[in-house]
């Protein structure tokens, strides 16, 4: 049932192009408009929302953080992303005009269930983005948008993450479509690019030997840092989480701009640092800033492992290793840049002789608060 792969996790990483394609499938009509009827939320209701609050935990929370950049850009609706367990136990400001989006692979995470109940008690509309039909979270929500990643067996989430990001993009584009704002014109273009992503993920998967060799060579590493900006920031945190949970290595993700406010003190000769670099096209200042971050840490002795787009030569002078991903727009890039980080964690854990499908102390779904 592992399809010839050494672990469920390896199989699920390779299932990712299909997880994205299946999540996109059947959600546009012949005219190219998004149709999300299954959500069963009234269009007029969706037009009147003035805030989105995403509640989730772990990897699903990072999917929400990625979504924030895209949804705010396309819809001009403020998006807050909060851990479900934090949301539940403060006194959050939500009301009938708040759309709460609960993201959960399993649909059974108790922290998220409790937050959904709390949000509904406050009068908010709750939409579940979930991978498991009939599970508690979509049942207790007003509406559900399912990710079609297929069952995820490995404890560490991979394909569900990419499917969650995809579903969040669909939601954002749908809201932009029905609210008819100035970004509505971008919808067709972004949808087209989104449909090209599965083949690009496949391209990343076809060229993994470099990251595998890197992981094997780093089996004795004790600490790894991950830096990113903009959508690369949640990718950096997800890369760090994967390494912690699978390889039991101390790992931390930072916003690259935060470096000089403290974390740069951690840089000492030989410290491995992954840097997730945004596209050099479009948002020029963002790209230039992260290149200068790489320069700064390299000057202090960091071993820099840079994830950059094909054709981005600016990073080369400061990178010990460059892991390449195909070109796409900045907002969609997390669907590509996370893949080498997933593979790195999986391969390094395997090199340490660990069971990647069943990391210690972890359960697939956390059904207690
Ligand atoms: C990490 C991981 C966890 C889950 C988290 C939420 O690899 O799997 O962090 O993402 O426990 O689980 P769901 O999405 O089922 O609510």
């Amino acid at each position: 049932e592992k399809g010839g792969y050494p672990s469920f996790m390896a199989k699920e990483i390779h299932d990712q192009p299909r997880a994205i394609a299946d999540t996109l499938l059947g959600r546009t009509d012949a005219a190219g408009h998004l149709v999300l009827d299954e959500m069963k939320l009234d269009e007029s209701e969706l037009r009147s929302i003035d805030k989105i609050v995403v509640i989730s935990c772990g990897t699903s929370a990072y999917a929400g953080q990625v979504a924030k950049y895209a949804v705010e850009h396309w819809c001009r609706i403020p998006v807050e992303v909060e851990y479900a367990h934090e949301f539940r136990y403060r006194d959050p400001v939500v009301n009938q005009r708040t759309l709460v989006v609960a993201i959960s692979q399993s649909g059974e995470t108790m922290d998220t269930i409790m937050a959904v109940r709390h949000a509904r008690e406050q009068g908010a509309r709750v939409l579940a983005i979930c991978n498991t039909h009939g599970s508690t979270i979509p049942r207790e929500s007003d509406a559900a948008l399912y990710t079609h990643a297929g069952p995820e067996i490995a404890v560490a989430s991979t394909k569900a993450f990419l499917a969650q990001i995809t579903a969040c993009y669909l939601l954002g584009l749908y809201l932009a479509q029905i609210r008819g704002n100035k970004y509505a014109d971008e919808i067709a273009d972004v949808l087209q690019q989104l449909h090209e992503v599965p083949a690009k993920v496949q391209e990343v998967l076809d060229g993994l030997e470099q990251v595998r060799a890197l992981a094997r060579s780093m089996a004795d590493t004790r600490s790894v840092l991950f830096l990113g900006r903009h959508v690369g920031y949640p990718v950096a945190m997800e890369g760090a989480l994967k390494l912690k949970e699978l390889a039991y290595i101390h790992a931390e993700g930072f916003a690259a701009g935060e470096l000089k406010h403290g974390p740069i003190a951690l840089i000492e000769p030989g410290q491995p640092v992954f840097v997730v670099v945004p596209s050099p096209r479009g948002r020029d200042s963002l790209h230039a800033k992260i290149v200068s971050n790489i320069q700064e840490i390299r000057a202090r002795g960091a071993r820099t492992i840079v994830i950059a787009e094909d054709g981005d030569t600016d990073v080369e002078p400061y990178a010990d290793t460059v892991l390449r991903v195909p070109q796409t727009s900045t907002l969609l890039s997390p669907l590509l840049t996370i893949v080498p980080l997933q593979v790195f964690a999986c391969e390094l854990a395997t090199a340490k002789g660990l069971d990647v499908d069943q990391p210690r102390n972890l359960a697939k779904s956390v059904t207690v608060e």
Side-chain angles (χ1 to χ4, degrees):
E1 70 255 25
K2 293 176 190 164
Y5 291 98
S7 61
F8 282 108
M9 187 184 179
K11 173 183 180 288
E12 288 162 6
I13 287 173
H14 284 82
D15 279 347
Q16 294 185 121
R18 211 185 47 213
I20 298 169
D22 286 353
T23 300
L24 292 173
L25 198 69
R27 280 167 168 165
T28 33
D29 65 15
H33 290 120
L34 278 162
V35 190
L36 300 182
D37 291 343
E38 59 182 282
M39 286 205 326
K40 295 196 182 67
L41 278 179
D42 204 63
E43 281 197 18
S44 63
E45 219 164 35
L46 288 175
R47 269 188 220 105
S48 71
I49 59 168
D50 61 9
K51 181 168 83 166
I52 295 174
V53 178
V54 180
I55 49 174
S56 42
C57 304
T59 292
S60 298
Y62 296 140
Q65 291 200 25
V66 168
K68 174 184 166 81
Y69 293 88
V71 176
E72 288 193 336
H73 175 69
W74 294 326
C75 307
R76 311 311 301 154
I77 304 171
V79 180
E80 292 172 13
V81 184
E82 193 165 16
Y83 285 128
H85 36 90
E86 286 294 321
F87 172 87
R88 171 66 187 87
Y89 292 102
R90 61 186 179 86
D91 192 8
V93 182
V94 295
N95 57 39
Q96 292 82 345
R97 301 188 66 184
T98 313
L99 177 66
V100 169
V101 179
I103 307 180
S104 177
Q105 188 286 128
S106 62
E108 300 297 346
T109 299
M110 188 52 77
D111 287 316
T112 310
I113 294 172
M114 297 307 283
V116 166
R117 289 181 186 157
H118 186 69
R120 292 197 72 198
E121 278 161 19
Q122 310 302 304
R125 307 297 280 162
V126 179
L127 169 69
I129 291 185
C130 187
N131 198 46
T132 312
H133 276 267
S135 57
T136 307
I137 290 170
R139 269 196 285 119
E140 293 207 11
S141 299
D142 295 291
L145 179 60
Y146 283 98
T147 48
H148 295 155
E152 195 177 61
I153 310 292
V155 164
S157 186
T158 54
K159 62 177 182 174
F161 178 63
L162 296 199
Q164 287 164 343
I165 294 174
T166 304
C168 288
Y169 289 163
L170 289 176
L171 173 66
L173 293 169
Y174 180 67
L175 290 173
Q177 177 181 289
I178 63 172
R179 293 163 70 99
N181 66 28
K182 66 176 175 146
Y183 287 101
D185 291 348
E186 274 188 33
I187 294 175
D189 185 40
V190 178
L191 266 175
Q192 174 59 36
Q193 291 181 42
L194 208 44
H195 279 100
E196 291 164 8
V197 166
K200 292 179 180 180
V201 174
Q202 189 57 51
E203 231 182 280
V204 178
L205 295 173
D206 289 341
L208 289 175
E209 207 28 62
Q210 186 192 11
V211 68
R212 289 209 176 102
L214 178 74
R216 289 192 292 267
S217 76
M218 289 174 67
D220 295 331
T221 306
R222 301 185 60 103
S223 150
V224 182
L225 305 180
F226 295 78
L227 298 180
R229 284 185 98 105
H230 193 263
V231 288
Y233 170 38
V235 170
M237 291 192 291
E238 169 63 3
L241 178 61
K242 284 285 148 304
L243 198 58
K244 285 176 224 187
E245 58 182 346
L246 295 168
Y248 317 150
I249 289 176
H250 177 255
E252 225 177 321
F254 298 107
E258 198 58 16
L259 254 188
K260 58 184 174 300
H261 300 288
I264 199 163
L266 290 169
I267 306 294
E268 56 186 12
Q271 170 68 52
V273 186
F274 280 81
V275 187
V276 183
V277 177
S279 166
R281 296 160 296 115
R283 294 159 197 270
D284 312 312
S285 60
L286 196 66
H287 182 264
K289 286 206 168 75
I290 205 150
V291 172
S292 90
N293 291 141
I294 304 172
Q295 211 171 340
E296 280 158 13
I297 57 172
R298 186 80 171 324
R300 288 163 179 78
R303 172 177 178 195
T304 55
I305 303 150
V306 173
I307 299 167
E309 228 182 59
D310 283 335
D312 180 355
T313 49
D314 298 351
V315 297
E316 283 168 4
Y318 317 110
D320 291 296
T321 305
V322 185
L323 303 173
R324 294 289 178 184
V325 295
Q327 298 185 351
T328 189
S329 68
T330 300
L331 288 172
L332 303 190
S333 63
L335 295 169
L336 302 176
T337 52
I338 191 58
V339 178
L341 300 182
Q342 296 168 332
V343 173
F344 177 77
C346 184
E347 194 72 25
L348 200 155
T350 305
K352 287 178 76 168
L354 302 171
D355 179 349
V356 294
D357 287 338
Q358 295 285 343
R360 69 182 177 202
N361 308 340
L362 291 171
K364 181 63 184 161
S365 69
V366 184
T367 54
V368 291
E369 267 195 273

